[in-house]
Amino acid sequence: MHRTARTASVVALGLASALVLTACGSSGGADVAADSKQTLTVWAMGAEGEKLGDVAKAYNKTHPNITIKVTPVGWDVAHQKLVAAAAAGTLPDVAQMGGSYMGEFADMGVLEPVDTKTFKQGDFFPAAWNQGVVDSTAYGVPWYVDTRVLYYRTDLAQKAGITKAPANWSEMQALATAYQKKAGTKWGLSIQPSGLDTVQNFYPFLYSAGGAIVDDSGKKAVFDSPATVKALKEYGSYFDKGIAKKSVQPGYDVIKDFGNDTVPMFFGGPWQTGLINDGQPQLKGKWAVAKIPADKTSVSMAGGSSLAISKDSEHKAAAKDFIAYLTDAKGQADWFKRSKDLPANTAAWKTGDLATDPSLKIYGEQMASAKTSPPLAKWTEITSKVDDAIGSVTQGKSSAEDAAKKAQSAIESLLG
């Protein structure tokens, strides 16, 4: 999902489960030929919903028989609206799906499997494709990707006597400490201490240590592994040593503190580059991005969105054509120019700024090894248990071992 938004609540997930039988009763509709005159309904979320209308108009110029009706939907209500529409059999022909949605809606039986003759797995980043795959069947075509890299102040690093980006955990903590002691910053690294979606900041530690929440099958919890415990200890050490702040208010703006020298380093997504350039112009030439510092390897989380076709749609041929327009290399490069969303199609990275900008190159390299969350219907509930475990460690309420064991038990009950 984009910009770390996650709106699927436990209550909404319960509602979705209760509606599965209703949704699964659908048998799909008769398909209208792609060259027939028709209207294609599309729901797109957040900022994408606001920008997609212009792309739809451009598409209509070369496909005058197809009118694209784009409905922007806020991420805060997206899950609720999709669940209600699935239950009523009124999903749009095409819907933007956050990665955490795919398992749930595929399980409800309301999505059309991807035509893998038209959309080739090898054209996309592996993690982007995999987030739409449920039980070996693809239900979503990757639209854009999202990952996290390390943002750091190069000027303050030089002041602290460090001239290169940290490549591993030891170097990252050494830089964070040097920022405080030698460059005079208040904090060394901004990572979320507790609360909803703390897991987003924890993923780079977990994955780089070789850990996971569940195994590759998605059926077995593995959160109490030595790798997970190691990651929890490393994450918690930043709070134990006073390098990271133990309490962060909702809506906290890390970019502001990045600009005023309070926080010199944080994990961030691609949209934050624009926020820094626009909101903190005094930082020009004073910051950079780097790949996630490694323990075993450098592995970050993979996010983003896919485009899915409703199983009930009577416009599947047109829907497939429109999605192909949005996700081929040309369409992806165009969408990047409009939205700054990173392309899921790897061929798009060979053109324009995507091929020449050093910062964007870092994102491309990070995506190549990024790891996606498994498309499980209860993933939101599962990660809430991880959030609790991280919070108990950062607040000094339990050891990493005990927190991992408690979360492991809770996750097992959800998988059971």
Side-chain angles (χ1 to χ4, degrees), residues 241-406:
K241 297 175 181 179
I243 302 171
K245 190 177 182 181
K246 279 192 174 184
S247 177
V248 175
Q249 295 297 318
Y252 168 66
D253 182 11
V254 71
I255 302 301
K256 180 180 178 181
D257 280 350
F258 192 62
N260 65 23
D261 302 358
T262 302
V263 171
M265 190 161 57
F266 67 95
F267 294 122
W271 69 92
Q272 284 166 313
T273 293
L275 294 178
I276 295 171
N277 289 337
D278 295 341
Q280 307 293 331
Q282 78 280 6
L283 293 186
K284 185 176 181 180
K286 299 179 180 180
W287 64 277
V289 298
K291 291 178 64 177
I292 295 297
D295 177 37
K296 286 187 174 181
T297 55
S298 172
V299 185
S300 190
M301 59 158 285
S305 283
S306 298
L307 297 169
I309 298 175
S310 167
K311 197 166 188 177
D312 275 347
S313 172
E314 296 182 353
H315 307 278
K316 294 184 180 71
K320 185 168 65 175
D321 189 85
F322 184 54
I323 292 175
Y325 179 86
L326 295 175
T327 60
D328 66 13
K330 182 178 179 181
Q332 292 268 277
D334 175 69
W335 183 244
F336 171 74
K337 290 179 181 178
R338 295 173 184 269
S339 67
K340 299 307 177 185
D341 287 337
L342 300 179
N345 189 314
T346 56
W349 289 77
K350 299 176 182 178
T351 62
D353 289 346
L354 289 160
T356 60
D357 187 295
S359 296
L360 291 172
K361 182 180 179 181
I362 294 294
Y363 275 103
E365 292 175 353
Q366 194 73 73
M367 266 306 303
S369 64
K371 186 172 181 178
T372 188
S373 300
L376 299 178
K378 293 185 177 181
W379 190 246
T380 298
E381 293 175 84
I382 289 170
T383 54
S384 73
K385 305 304 180 186
V386 177
D387 290 340
D388 292 342
I390 301 166
S392 69
V393 172
T394 65
Q395 302 307 302
K397 295 179 179 179
S398 68
S399 67
E401 290 86 354
D402 289 344
K405 288 178 182 178
K406 183 178 180 180

Side-chain angles (χ1 to χ4, degrees), residues 34-54:
D35 58 359
S36 299
K37 189 171 181 61
Q38 59 196 291
T39 296
L40 192 67
T41 56
V42 180
W43 286 6
M45 318 312 179
E48 286 71 35
E50 301 299 330
K51 294 179 173 66
L52 187 57
D54 290 338

Side-chain angles (χ1 to χ4, degrees), residues 126-149:
W129 181 269
N130 290 338
Q131 78 170 358
V133 176
V134 182
D135 293 333
S136 301
T137 299
Y139 290 96
V141 180
W143 186 17
Y144 64 81
V145 294
D146 177 22
T147 191
R148 300 293 179 271
V149 298

Side-chain angles (χ1 to χ4, degrees), residues 14 44 46 76 97 101 115 125 142 155 164 175 188 196 205 213 238 251 260 296-297 310 320 335 357 361 398-399 413:
D76 57 336
M97 288 274 176
Y101 293 0
D115 177 1
F125 284 111
D155 59 333
K164 65 175 184 176
L175 176 57
L196 181 67
F205 289 84
I213 298 173
Y238 282 88
N260 65 23
K296 286 187 174 181
T297 55
S310 167
K320 185 168 65 175
W335 183 244
D357 187 295
K361 182 180 179 181
S398 68
S399 67
S413 68

Side-chain angles (χ1 to χ4, degrees), residues 3 5-6 31 39 48 82 91 111 117 120 142 173 213 226 259 277 321 325 359 415:
R3 293 162 172 76
R6 185 182 70 178
D31 199 24
T39 296
E48 286 71 35
L82 285 167
L91 279 172
L111 303 180
K117 292 183 180 179
K120 306 294 185 181
Q173 190 156 134
I213 298 173
N277 289 337
D321 189 85
Y325 179 86
S359 296
L415 292 174

Side-chain angles (χ1 to χ4, degrees), residues 212-224 374 376 379 382 408 411-412 415-416:
I213 298 173
V214 298
D215 67 2
D216 291 341
S217 73
K219 298 178 181 178
K220 181 181 178 182
V222 293
F223 195 69
D224 60 351
L376 299 178
W379 190 246
I382 289 170
Q408 171 78 7
I411 295 167
E412 287 176 341
L415 292 174

